[in-house]
C-alpha cells in the first residue's frame, strides 16, 4: 500500500507541476510529498523529476513511469470500485467545483440531501466563476455551462440555461422601457459580464427571426462574478441578461422586470465534467448521478425550445 501511495503522490506532483501544489491538493506536508518521491526514485534507481526553485519537470524515465503509473492506478481504482461494498457505500474526500450562482441557488441548499444519502463522502466545494484546471488542481468534477473545450475530459449534459433580459423597476422608471435592442445603445445603461480569466467582455446578445444583434451599450459597470452581476441589476445599475433560474425569485419579489421579451438568446448547455481517470470512482459516480437528478427536477434548468446564459 505504501508503494501505491508513493505512486499516487508522484502522479500528483507531475500533474500539479510543483511539490507545493501537489502537497496542498493532497492535504499533506510538503516534506512528506518530497520524501515519498525521493524514496520512489531510490527504489527504482532512476531520476524521475528535474527540480528547480519554481517548478518540476519530468525526465524521460519519469514520463514513461508516469504513463504506466496512471494506468496502474486506474486499474487499482477499478478493482476497488467493482467491489459491491464500495458501490453501495462510496466513501472518501470529493473535490467539486461549481459556478457561483448554481452553487448558491441549487447545490448548497440541497447538499444535506446528498450527505444523508452518502454519509461517508466528504465534499470540498470550490465556488467560483473562474474555470479550474481539473488535472492540475486535482479536482474530481466540475459543473459548468458552455461547450466543452477540452475533448479529453468526460462530460455529461445535465441541463440548459435560458438567458433573458431584465432591469429593476427603479431603473425603468428613470430611463424608460427599451422597445428594441438598439435602444440600449441610444438611451440606456447596460451591465456587462467579463471573464474572470481572460477579461473578455460579453455583449448582450439578441436573436429574433434570424436577426442577431450584439450590444454592450454605454456600459457604466462590468462585473466578473455572477452573484455580484445579479446584485448590480437588482440595484438598478442598468439592463443586463441573466438566467431564468437566477431571475425567478426576483420576479416574484418585484425586484426585476423582464424587458425585450420577443428577443431570445441561444441556450447554454450545462455539463458535469470529470477527468477520464475518475470515471470508475464510486464517489464521483455518486455525485454525478445526484447532480443530474437535481438538475432534472428543476424545470428552469431543463429548457428545450427557448434560450439562455452563463452562470
Amino acid at each position: 500500500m505504501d508503494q501505491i501511495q508513493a505512486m499516487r503522490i508522484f502522479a500528483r506532483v507531475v500533474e500539479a507541476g510543483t511539490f507545493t501544489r501537489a502537497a496542498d491538493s493532497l492535504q499533506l506536508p510538503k516534506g512528506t510529498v518530497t520524501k515519498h518521491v525521493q524514496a520512489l526514485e531510490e527504489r527504482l534507481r532512476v531520476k524521475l523529476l528535474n527540480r528547480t526553485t519554481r517548478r518540476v519537470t519530468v525526465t524521460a524515465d519519469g514520463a514513461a513511469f508516469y504513463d504506466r503509473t496512471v494506468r496502474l492506478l486506474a486499474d487499482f481504482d477499478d478493482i476497488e470500485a467493482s467491489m459491491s461494498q464500495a458501490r453501495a457505500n462510496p466513501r472518501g474526500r470529493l473535490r467539486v467545483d461549481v459556478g457561483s450562482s448554481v452553487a448558491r441557488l441549487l447545490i448548497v441548499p440541497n447538499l444535506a440531501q446528498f450527505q444523508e444519502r452518502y454519509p461517508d463522502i466528504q465534499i470540498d466545494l470550490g465556488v467560483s466563476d473562474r474555470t479550474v484546471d481539473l488535472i492540475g488542481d486535482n479536482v474530481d468534477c466540475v459543473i459548468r455551462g458552455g461547450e466543452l473545450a477540452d475533448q479529453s475530459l468526460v462530460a455529461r449534459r445535465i441541463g440548459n440555461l435560458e438567458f433573458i433580459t431584465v432591469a429593476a423597476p427603479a431603473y425603468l422608471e428613470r430611463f424608460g422601457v427599451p422597445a428594441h435592442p438598439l435602444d440600449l445603445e441610444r438611451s440606456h445603461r447596460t451591465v456587462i459580464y467579463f471573464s474572470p480569466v481572460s477579461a473578455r467582455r460579453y455583449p448582450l446578445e439578441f436573436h429574433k427571426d434570424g436577426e442577431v444583434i450584439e450590444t454592450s451599450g454605454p456600459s457604466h459597470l462590468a462585473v466578473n462574478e455572477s452573484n455580484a452581476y445579479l446584485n448590480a441589476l437588482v440595484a438598478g445599475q442598468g439592463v443586463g441578461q441573466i438566467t431564468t433560474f437566477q431571475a425567478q425569485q426576483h420576479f416574484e419579489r418585484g425586484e426585476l422586470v423582464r424587458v425585450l421579451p420577443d428577443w431570445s438568446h441561444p441556450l447554454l448547455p450545462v455539463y458535469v465534467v470529470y477527468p477520464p481517470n475518475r470515471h470508475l470512482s464510486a464517489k464521483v459516480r455518486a455525485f454525478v448521478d445526484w447532480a443530474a437528478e437535481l438538475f432534472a427536477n428543476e424545470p428552469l434548468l431543463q429548457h428545450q425550445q427557448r434560450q439562455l446564459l452563463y452562470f
Side-chain angles (χ1 to χ4, degrees):
M1 186 60 68
D2 287 343
Q3 292 186 28
I4 293 293
Q5 183 183 18
M7 292 165 66
R8 289 192 189 279
I9 290 173
F10 165 73
R12 183 87 286 274
V13 172
V14 173
E15 293 162 355
T18 70
F19 281 91
T20 299
R21 287 185 67 189
D24 289 344
S25 65
L26 292 169
Q27 298 184 341
L28 292 173
K30 181 181 176 182
T32 299
V33 172
T34 302
K35 178 181 176 181
H36 275 285
V37 173
Q38 289 175 340
L40 191 60
E41 289 179 318
E42 290 173 3
R43 184 162 58 249
L44 297 173
R45 298 182 182 180
V46 295
K47 187 175 183 180
L48 300 173
L49 300 171
N50 291 314
R51 296 134 168 105
T52 67
T53 55
R54 299 186 62 182
R55 191 165 182 82
V56 298
T57 57
V58 189
T59 65
D61 287 332
F65 184 72
Y66 171 76
D67 288 340
R68 299 189 67 178
T69 292
V70 170
R71 292 196 295 271
L72 179 61
L73 292 175
D75 288 342
F76 184 78
D77 290 339
D78 186 13
I79 294 171
E80 285 194 324
S82 66
M83 304 301 291
S84 59
Q85 183 176 1
R87 287 184 180 274
N89 301 293
R91 63 181 61 245
R93 188 168 300 277
L94 185 68
R95 174 72 166 87
V96 179
D97 198 86
V98 184
S100 299
S101 292
V102 167
R104 178 176 64 87
L105 295 171
L106 188 67
I107 300 299
V108 172
N110 290 286
L111 265 183
Q113 173 198 105
F114 179 84
Q115 292 164 331
E116 183 177 354
R117 189 182 301 180
Y118 303 106
D120 295 323
I121 297 179
Q122 299 84 44
I123 292 184
D124 290 346
L125 183 66
V127 179
S128 172
D129 288 347
R130 184 180 295 273
T131 303
V132 299
D133 177 356
L134 273 78
I135 305 300
D137 294 331
N138 198 28
V139 175
D140 291 299
C141 63
V142 302
I143 298 176
R144 280 290 184 269
E147 294 301 336
L148 193 64
D150 188 345
Q151 298 301 316
S152 69
L153 300 174
V154 181
R156 176 175 173 181
R157 188 166 181 166
I158 58 176
N160 294 301
L161 292 171
E162 182 182 23
F163 239 151
I164 56 175
T165 308
V166 300
Y171 170 86
L172 297 175
E173 288 178 9
R174 180 180 177 188
F175 291 92
V177 179
H180 191 277
L182 294 180
D183 289 347
L184 300 179
E185 296 184 346
R186 302 178 185 124
S187 56
H188 284 272
R189 296 180 177 181
T190 58
V191 180
I192 298 301
Y193 184 89
F194 71 94
S195 168
V197 177
S198 66
R200 174 191 171 193
R201 296 165 69 89
Y202 292 92
L204 305 189
E205 186 176 345
F206 300 90
H207 293 241
K208 182 180 179 182
D209 300 330
E211 181 181 6
V212 179
I213 296 175
E214 292 186 353
T215 177
S216 296
S219 173
H220 289 260
L221 179 64
V223 183
N224 71 351
E225 196 276 331
S226 55
N227 289 322
Y229 181 88
L230 173 61
N231 289 339
L233 296 175
V234 172
Q237 290 289 327
V239 178
Q241 292 180 324
I242 60 174
T243 62
T244 52
F245 179 64
Q246 291 173 294
Q248 186 61 39
Q249 60 181 310
H250 299 283
F251 287 162
E252 294 171 354
R253 294 198 292 256
E255 296 171 337
L256 289 174
V257 175
R258 185 171 184 178
V259 298
L260 300 170
D262 294 333
W263 294 81
S264 62
H265 184 288
L267 288 173
L268 190 75
V270 181
Y271 296 93
V272 57
V273 184
Y274 47 99
N277 63 342
R278 303 290 207 280
H279 75 290
L280 293 172
S281 166
K283 62 185 179 182
V284 171
R285 186 187 304 111
F287 183 84
V288 169
D289 289 344
W290 174 78
E293 177 185 322
L294 201 60
F295 270 72
N297 291 330
E298 174 49 68
L300 292 177
L301 295 174
Q302 296 298 323
H303 292 276
Q304 297 299 327
Q305 301 302 323
R306 292 185 63 83
Q307 329 205 341
L308 2 11
L309 142 44
Y310 333 101
F311 63 105

